[in-house]
Amino acid sequence: MDSRLIAELIVHLGRSASLEGPGAGLTAGQWSVLRYFDRANRFSRTPSAFAAFHGTTRGTASQVIKGLVELGYLTATKSKSDGRSVRLDLTDKARAIIADDPIEALVGAADALPPGGRMQFYGLLQRMLGHVAARTGKPLFGTCETCSHFEGSGCCRQGLQAYECRLAKEVLLEQELDELCINFAPGPQGMSGPGTKPK
Ligand code: SF4
């Protein structure tokens, strides 16, 4: 089996899904932005983090983000600690259309895989993502529970918070554990890629 065929197929699959259907009249690039900010945690909701995730330039990312702010799909809030950086959040208008995301065609294709095959496929894609990140030197986005900076078992001992990020030195809420983070560093349990694990 020629590995190039696998690589080309993955790229083709991603492109086919993102071009399928102009949901809500948005471009594939605009959908990528909304999808990212829907999944990113509070440490990663910046234009530069999106640019790193999407493999684009900061200038290009800022242009698309600016357009979505003007259309009312994103709000930009200046950071309290650093007045030069902004945090982007989805608006109610964006949340109302997120189910129309053209990527749903790809979600349906994943749903159609046999359950055992889905878990295996997920693991293989994670490994490939790790290889690509190591080779390109780009950040490896992932989620808290398999991150080396993650602290906590979910068990609330008196006077202690259940979850914490040792890097940011901040308490994490349970609902944040499955969000994408630019500061992710794989822990001993392995790597978590940019998606919720299939059930
Ligand atoms: S524990 Fe890791 S993934 Fe979670 S917020 Fe901290 S750096 Fe990010």
Side-chain angles (χ1 to χ4, degrees):
M1 181 82 220
D2 184 349
S3 297
R4 178 166 280 274
L5 283 178
I6 297 173
E8 286 174 0
L9 201 55
I10 290 171
V11 171
H12 183 58
L13 187 63
R15 291 220 170 104
S16 303
S18 63
L19 290 175
E20 200 271 338
L26 300 178
T27 65
Q30 288 172 317
W31 274 113
S32 300
V33 173
L34 293 189
R35 197 176 302 138
Y36 174 80
F37 286 105
D38 187 43
R39 289 277 288 116
N41 71 5
R42 62 192 140 111
F43 310 113
S44 313
R45 288 206 288 271
T46 63
S48 57
F50 168 74
F53 181 77
H54 199 59
T56 188
T57 64
R58 172 91 199 257
T60 303
S62 295
Q63 280 298 316
V64 185
I65 288 168
K66 189 171 165 223
L68 286 167
V69 170
E70 286 168 2
L71 288 169
Y73 289 111
L74 289 173
T75 55
T77 311
K78 277 200 174 160
S79 161
K80 284 179 190 152
S81 54
D82 173 5
R84 287 169 305 165
S85 65
V86 292
R87 195 190 77 187
L88 283 306
D89 292 291
L90 258 61
T91 60
D92 289 343
K93 182 180 174 182
R95 296 200 184 283
I97 60 152
I98 208 78
D100 298 333
D101 185 343
I103 205 177
E104 285 302 316
L106 197 49
V107 175
D111 270 342
L113 295 172
R118 279 201 303 155
M119 200 63 223
Q120 193 181 19
F121 189 45
Y122 178 78
L124 293 172
L125 288 175
Q126 284 181 327
R127 277 174 57 184
M128 291 182 75
L129 196 58
H131 277 283
V132 171
R135 183 157 173 172
T136 59
K138 290 186 176 154
L140 179 60
F141 284 73
T143 54
C144 293
E145 285 177 280
T146 52
C147 177
S148 59
H149 302 303
F150 182 64
E151 176 80 53
S153 61
C155 169
C156 296
R157 280 166 290 163
Q158 201 168 14
L160 293 176
Q161 298 294 345
Y163 306 107
E164 189 181 343
C165 173
R166 283 195 297 259
L167 183 73
K169 296 187 174 49
E170 290 201 24
V171 169
L172 298 166
L173 302 176
E174 188 158 8
Q175 60 266 34
E176 294 182 298
L177 304 188
D178 208 24
E179 294 178 341
L180 278 183
C181 183
I182 191 173
N183 299 322
F184 171 79
Q189 310 99 308
M191 194 195 115
S192 174
T196 306
K197 284 183 201 141
K199 304 210 168 39

